[in-house]
Amino acid sequence: VLSPKEFGFPQSRKRAFLLGIRKTHSEIAEELYEIFKNTVESYKKEIPYTLWDAIGDLPPLSAKTLKNASYVENSFWGYTFGGMHQPTTEYVELVNRELPKRVPLLNHKSKYNNERDIQIYELLKPGEKSDAESIQEINPYKSRADIFKDKFDKLVADEPCKTITAHMYYDCNMYIHPTQARGLTPREAARVQGFPDDYLFLGSPNEWYRQIGNAVSPLMARVLAIGLKNVLERIDTE
């Protein structure tokens, strides 16, 4: 059971990974598992990057206020392709690896929100949820607070992000930007997951969220792949 946060990546996302070994290698199965485990654990890092390391350099946006307008694009709500951009953080350099310094700004578009939700987003402080006193007069879920305590959740900039999930397809109430009254954009969610900036998500904006939320973090996949590579190299010596 591993979480990207254990490796310094800015997300709390526990997932179980299974290592399958063919019966033909059963005699060294325990050794292979130890090789994999030790390799993966060698990449762990005590101090993780934060949400702000992942998204702080991206251009500010406002929540979309026009309903049923998925394909409307402008400087307030963002673009599928928003020109070229030069990231400035160490974390993004890690994500982009050998890409040029200037990269395309892709899939950075805000989601629609009604006036009430935007007001809730504005009133909440980072780290506050649906039970915050400041929003009780306008909270539509206050009568069922036991069930919907996390229906609204304003993220904290200087901590790792909560788990990015495909629920963002429906709404981003649980992924409120720490300084802007809107949910995270698909590009911001992709940054947290560890997708490089030149990765273009296709389909509708809602489908972008689903693809990102259902994915294994590419950064985690890279670490696991190194572990598997070492396992295969040991098998090749048989």
Side-chain angles (χ1 to χ4, degrees):
V1 177
L2 301 169
S3 171
K5 185 171 70 172
E6 297 176 286
F7 298 86
F9 309 140
Q11 182 182 189
S12 299
R13 184 190 180 98
K14 286 188 176 181
R15 290 291 182 269
F17 297 92
L18 306 179
L19 174 64
I21 299 171
R22 293 180 61 174
K23 289 182 179 179
T24 51
H25 308 302
S26 59
E27 291 184 1
I28 59 169
E30 186 173 337
E31 179 188 352
L32 296 177
Y33 172 73
E34 288 300 319
I35 289 172
F36 179 77
K37 180 182 177 183
N38 293 337
T39 301
V40 169
E41 290 190 344
S42 72
Y43 282 85
K44 288 187 175 181
K45 180 181 176 182
E46 289 187 9
I47 303 175
Y49 290 108
T50 66
L51 172 63
W52 204 244
D53 290 324
I55 70 171
D57 67 298
L58 292 169
L61 296 176
S62 300
K64 184 174 289 183
T65 54
L66 185 63
K67 200 170 186 179
N68 298 321
S70 297
Y71 295 100
V72 175
E73 302 189 345
N74 56 44
S75 59
F76 298 104
W77 302 336
Y79 300 93
T80 301
F81 171 59
M84 300 301 290
H85 176 68
Q86 185 163 336
T88 57
T89 72
E90 179 183 302
Y91 169 73
V92 182
E93 288 182 3
L94 171 68
V95 170
N96 286 341
R97 297 195 63 161
E98 298 177 1
L99 292 180
K101 289 291 185 181
R102 287 176 58 79
V103 292
L105 181 60
L106 305 172
N107 306 109
H108 188 45
K109 290 178 62 173
S110 62
K111 201 172 180 67
Y112 167 79
N113 287 107
N114 58 43
E115 290 184 10
R116 180 203 64 208
D117 285 351
I118 293 174
Q119 186 179 2
I120 288 174
Y121 289 7
E122 290 173 339
L123 289 171
L124 286 175
K125 296 176 182 178
E128 290 188 335
K129 303 180 188 293
S130 300
D131 56 356
E133 186 63 32
S134 60
I135 67 169
Q136 291 315 300
E137 290 187 8
I138 56 175
N139 183 1
Y141 307 103
K142 63 182 178 181
S143 62
R144 304 181 70 188
D146 56 327
I147 301 175
F148 293 111
K149 179 183 177 181
D150 296 336
K151 181 62 177 175
F152 294 103
D153 190 349
K154 193 160 191 175
L155 302 173
V156 179
D158 60 358
E159 296 179 359
C161 186
K162 66 191 294 184
T163 302
I164 296 295
T165 71
H167 182 84
M168 299 176 82
Y169 168 82
Y170 297 103
D171 64 60
C172 291
N173 292 342
M174 295 187 292
Y175 299 90
I176 304 170
H177 192 284
T179 64
Q180 300 164 34
R182 60 171 178 81
L184 295 185
T185 68
R187 177 49 52 190
E188 289 166 336
R191 279 279 191 85
V192 171
Q193 279 276 56
F195 282 95
D197 281 341
D198 67 343
Y199 198 102
L200 173 65
F201 296 92
L202 302 178
S204 70
N206 278 344
E207 288 168 346
W208 303 346
Y209 283 117
R210 292 179 69 177
Q211 294 168 50
I212 295 164
N214 284 329
V216 172
S217 163
L219 294 174
M220 279 296 303
R222 187 183 299 162
V223 172
L224 297 173
I226 294 170
L228 291 174
K229 178 175 180 289
N230 289 345
V231 167
L232 291 172
E233 287 177 348
R234 170 64 182 91
I235 289 173
D236 283 346
T237 65
E238 283 284 280

